Amino acid sequence: MVRFLVIPQWQGSPAPRAMLLVDGAAAIAGDLPRAATTVLEVPVEAGESLGTGVRRLSALLRTRELTHGHIDSDTVVIGGDCSITVAAIDALPGGTDDLAVVWCDAHADLHTPDTSPSGAFSGMALRALLGEGEEQLVLSPAIRADRVVTVGVRNLDDAEVAPLEGLTNLSVDDLEQPDALLDAVRATGASRVWVHIDVDVLDPSDFAGVSSSVPFGLSPAALSTAIRALRTEIPLAGATIAGFAPRTPADAVDDLGALLRLVGAVA
């Protein structure tokens, strides 16, 4: 049975109103089956950088510690900021030797503490999965670069261009072919896949509840169709839906249809 783990972490976000992510996690949780849902009691305080280049590091480490013991096969993780995927995969039973990661995000999240303009860990999350960055947060053993497929990345900083070139990258247009994602993951040779969805990968005309929208994104239908095609052949080890930051209850209601479509695709 699919289990849902809600992690309302906001401390990894660079957004001025990052705590809207807590409201977003709560809004999604309200539409999940109660008996199959666990809400993690993450720290509410901002936390300290502890002398590193990562803001709020102490709170992030505490959330990572709390996540262990709550991740099983087929767990769908609900955020919160998108760096919760690093904590979830770190806690994944069975290790990562056979795992591919699909990273659906408008941003590459490939910074390190040395290049990040904000010091926010969500902008370093994919780089951490690759084993690079702040040693207290990176995944070990790391995900191999040839096992990572990005989807819909279209807002890059200069420091992210070179590391992105080492990955398999699918554009918004690529997903017009329903099997494009399946083909890309099949080529990695992995036998399981974790699908990470930061909802800012969606087009703003379809989804408004994000901290920083980026035009020309995916439709919920195209992304859901690609994920369903992927699952016909490659089992999901788990999935993340993160980055939902509704400014008002009305925004949450307006985005509900797209959210439920994504939940249905990964659950």
Side-chain angles (χ1 to χ4, degrees), residues 96-187:
T96 59
D97 288 347
D98 62 343
L99 188 71
V101 172
V102 171
W103 196 265
C104 306
D105 201 316
H107 306 88
D109 296 342
L110 285 169
H111 278 290
T112 68
D114 292 332
T115 66
S116 172
S118 67
F121 184 52
S122 63
M124 312 177 200
L126 182 52
R127 195 71 173 267
L129 289 179
L130 293 165
E132 301 175 23
E134 168 54 46
E135 62 180 11
Q136 297 177 79
L137 291 171
V138 299
L139 187 69
S140 180
I143 304 295
R144 291 170 15 201
D146 63 357
R147 289 275 179 88
V148 175
V149 178
T150 74
V151 175
V153 173
R154 55 196 188 278
N155 190 334
L156 280 174
D157 292 330
D158 291 345
E160 298 176 295
V161 173
L164 185 67
E165 289 175 347
L167 309 177
T168 299
N169 304 297
L170 299 180
S171 69
V172 171
D173 290 342
D174 287 332
L175 258 66
E176 292 179 3
Q177 300 298 320
D179 289 337
L181 181 58
L182 170 59
D183 291 343
V185 176
R186 183 193 290 132

Side-chain angles (χ1 to χ4, degrees), residues 159-266:
E160 298 176 295
V161 173
L164 185 67
E165 289 175 347
L167 309 177
T168 299
N169 304 297
L170 299 180
S171 69
V172 171
D173 290 342
D174 287 332
L175 258 66
E176 292 179 3
Q177 300 298 320
D179 289 337
L181 181 58
L182 170 59
D183 291 343
V185 176
R186 183 193 290 132
T188 70
S191 57
R192 298 186 299 161
V193 60
W194 188 284
V195 175
H196 164 95
I197 303 170
D198 184 334
V199 291
D200 68 12
V201 76
L202 301 175
D203 192 82
S205 65
D206 293 307
F207 198 93
V210 299
S211 298
S212 180
S213 61
V214 182
F216 309 116
L218 286 163
S219 70
L223 182 55
S224 298
T225 297
I227 293 170
R228 291 183 188 279
L230 172 65
R231 296 186 65 187
T232 62
E233 183 173 323
I234 302 176
L236 256 64
T240 308
I241 297 175
F244 183 38
R247 288 171 173 77
T248 66
D251 285 346
V253 171
D254 289 343
D255 290 330
L256 182 60
L259 285 168
L260 293 180
R261 184 185 289 269
L262 294 178
V263 169
V266 299

Side-chain angles (χ1 to χ4, degrees), residues 24-106:
I28 298 173
D31 283 290
L32 301 177
R34 183 171 299 180
T37 301
T38 300
V39 179
L40 205 62
E41 296 293 331
V42 304
V44 296
E45 68 274 8
E48 302 292 336
S49 64
L50 304 179
T52 70
V54 180
R55 295 175 62 197
R56 307 167 183 149
L57 175 64
S58 61
L60 299 171
L61 291 172
R62 178 59 178 153
T63 297
R64 185 160 174 162
E65 178 183 343
L66 291 170
T67 301
H68 277 262
H70 290 284
I71 302 294
D72 297 313
S73 297
D74 297 327
T75 299
V76 176
V77 178
I78 304 295
D81 72 74
C82 65
S83 68
I84 59 171
T85 295
V86 183
I89 292 179
D90 182 64
L92 184 64
T96 59
D97 288 347
D98 62 343
L99 188 71
V101 172
V102 171
W103 196 265
C104 306
D105 201 316

